[in-house]
Amino acid sequence: MGIITYSNNNGVIAVARCAGGVAGLICADLLILSGIFCKFSAVFLAIPDPVIGGMALFIFSSMSTSGIRILGYLDWTRRNRVIVAASLAIGLGVALVPD
């Protein structure tokens, strides 16, 4: 089985300051329990949508802040400038192009 990384995990680790494997196993257990027992998953379904949206906004802004911090340590060679410019052009260009 391969390892899949998601950038929002970096945001969670930056906020919680917990990157241990035990925490991941506990989260996996909670997800399995939520899938098996309906009453247990009802607790998570009772969380209002604005709270979930606020948590998502906080995680994604934390992730962006971590990326900007990494760019601060970067040695700005010509190659690195091209890589960052191309990444921003693709990432922002897709979001800013009208339908």
Side-chain angles (χ1 to χ4, degrees), residues 82-97:
V82 169
I83 291 171
V84 170
S87 301
L88 288 174
I90 292 170
L92 294 175
V94 170
L96 297 176
V97 171

Side-chain angles (χ1 to χ4, degrees), residues 28-42:
D29 291 340
L30 286 173
L31 289 172
I32 291 170
L33 285 173
S34 294
I36 295 173
F37 300 109
C38 297
K39 295 293 182 184
F40 190 75
S41 63

Side-chain angles (χ1 to χ4, degrees), residues 22-75:
V22 176
L25 291 175
I26 291 172
C27 290
D29 291 340
L30 286 173
L31 289 172
I32 291 170
L33 285 173
S34 294
I36 295 173
F37 300 109
C38 297
K39 295 293 182 184
F40 190 75
S41 63
V43 171
F44 294 109
L45 289 173
I47 299 174
D49 287 339
V51 174
I52 299 293
M55 289 172 24
L57 179 67
F58 187 75
I59 289 298
F60 290 126
S61 60
S62 172
M63 185 174 50
S64 300
T65 305
S66 297
I68 291 169
R69 192 183 86 196
I70 291 170
L71 289 176
Y73 293 120
L74 188 63
D75 183 28

